[in-house]
Amino acid sequence: MKVKDTIKKPYGICPASMTIWNADQTYNKKGMEKYLTWLLDNGAQSISICGSTGENIAMNMEEQREIIEHVSGFLGGQVPLVCGTGRYDTLNTIKMSRFAQDHGADCVMVILPFYLNPHKKAVMQHFRDLREALDIEIMVYNNPWFAGYELSVQEVKELVDDGTIQCIKAAHGDPNRVHELKYHCKDDLTVFYGHDYAAMEGLLAGADGWLSGFPAVLPKQCRRLQDACFAKDVDAAIAAQNNIQPYIDYFFYDKVNGVPHWQEICKYTLQAQGLDVGLPRKPLGELDDANKKKIEKLLADME
């Protein structure tokens, strides 16, 4: 099936947007609208919803459809919209993806079928079946940390060459994956660096944008880093990377028995910047006071 040429191609700073919940853990439409507006005002060029940072694993399909319909209507085509629609089974992945397409999505982001760890032949067919059902772009969410495996560069290229996929979120973290994908797939594949700690290297290696959690909580700082990389101003890029490096160090390494969780850190990072975004859905929850103070200090020291 030919991909529609009227869609907006996702690019640039693409926050993996969080989902805003009320105190009773229902969807908070007004809070989501304020948050999305803040992201756009601070440099977001595309928007991604219902991905990992958006807690798609914690919502049912009815809630996911509600969020997709609401966000698409609110954005009204201002920027490209990427909707996470991947489920384990092909049938419900197609159903959710078609719903997203029918309600204004420009691209669906589809994680590799997870949990039962299907063989690669089945996974490749999963994406081909989805292509037959859709007119909009498909982004492979190549995340070995959450799926348990990833597609190789050659497997990705096979799906690009036969017209199945147009985009990829390379979420492993190694910027060499960006380099290899752009080298072998050229401009036939839009490649997003999909992790948080080596975005400078991924962008300088040729990524077309940055789609991850940091752009969802530090959009201004991430946009500054990306713009420097796109301008090939390495000194400015290093300075922008150094600006967020203390936050990176805290985010990844300052933990005791896995506490705090990255979802809890992200939600409070927004809270500390004046956004009433609530908490992650249980079983996660609120940060302790000591970690709240660490985040407040990191933000105060950041430009």
Side-chain angles (χ1 to χ4, degrees), residues 142 150-157 160 165 167-171 174-192 205-206:
N142 216 26
E150 61 184 319
L151 297 182
S152 69
V153 171
Q154 289 308 312
E155 289 164 339
V156 171
K157 188 176 188 305
V160 170
I165 66 169
C167 308
I168 190 167
K169 175 179 175 179
D174 179 2
N176 185 54
R177 282 165 169 74
V178 172
H179 176 79
E180 290 183 334
L181 287 165
K182 291 305 291 187
Y183 178 81
H184 289 285
C185 299
K186 306 295 189 289
D187 290 336
D188 293 330
L189 182 68
T190 300
V191 178
F192 283 89

Side-chain angles (χ1 to χ4, degrees), residues 19-222:
T19 302
I20 312 306
W21 309 112
N22 292 305
D24 64 358
Q25 300 192 27
T26 56
Y27 179 51
N28 183 341
K29 289 186 176 181
K30 291 299 182 184
M32 192 69 176
E33 291 174 2
K34 290 179 181 178
Y35 170 52
L36 292 168
T37 300
W38 179 80
L39 289 173
L40 295 175
D41 288 346
N42 282 277
Q45 296 161 296
S46 304
I47 292 289
S48 171
I49 60 169
C50 295
S52 304
T53 306
E55 296 179 81
N56 61 353
I57 198 68
M59 62 182 71
N60 62 39
M61 290 184 71
E62 182 179 349
E63 290 171 321
Q64 193 166 347
R65 286 191 288 266
E66 177 189 9
I67 293 165
I68 289 171
E69 185 172 10
H70 170 242
V71 171
S72 179
F74 175 71
L75 291 176
Q78 294 178 72
V79 294
L81 175 62
V82 179
C83 295
T85 56
R87 306 186 74 83
Y88 164 74
D89 66 304
T90 306
L91 175 64
N92 282 305
T93 298
I94 289 174
K95 286 182 178 179
M96 188 61 70
S97 298
R98 290 192 69 135
F99 181 89
Q101 173 180 285
D102 292 345
H103 288 80
D106 296 292
C107 177
V108 291
M109 180 176 68
V110 179
I111 193 164
L112 306 178
F114 49 89
Y115 192 71
L116 293 187
N117 196 24
H119 54 72
K120 291 289 187 67
K121 180 180 178 182
V123 173
M124 300 287 275
Q125 191 59 45
H126 175 81
F127 283 97
R128 289 178 173 130
D129 288 347
L130 180 59
R131 173 77 281 148
E132 286 300 311
L134 290 185
D135 298 321
I136 60 175
E137 294 196 348
I138 298 172
M139 177 188 296
V140 171
Y141 185 11
N142 216 26
N143 191 333
W145 311 117
F146 293 165
Y149 64 99
E150 61 184 319
L151 297 182
S152 69
V153 171
Q154 289 308 312
E155 289 164 339
V156 171
K157 188 176 188 305
E158 185 179 328
L159 292 176
V160 170
D161 289 346
D162 68 17
T164 298
I165 66 169
Q166 293 72 40
C167 308
I168 190 167
K169 175 179 175 179
H172 176 279
D174 179 2
N176 185 54
R177 282 165 169 74
V178 172
H179 176 79
E180 290 183 334
L181 287 165
K182 291 305 291 187
Y183 178 81
H184 289 285
C185 299
K186 306 295 189 289
D187 290 336
D188 293 330
L189 182 68
T190 300
V191 178
F192 283 89
Y193 180 74
H195 212 293
D196 293 306
Y197 57 78
M200 182 188 78
E201 291 82 358
L203 290 163
L204 289 173
D208 300 289
W210 183 5
L211 197 175
S212 193
F214 276 19
V217 298
L218 300 172
K220 180 177 65 175
Q221 292 83 357
C222 293

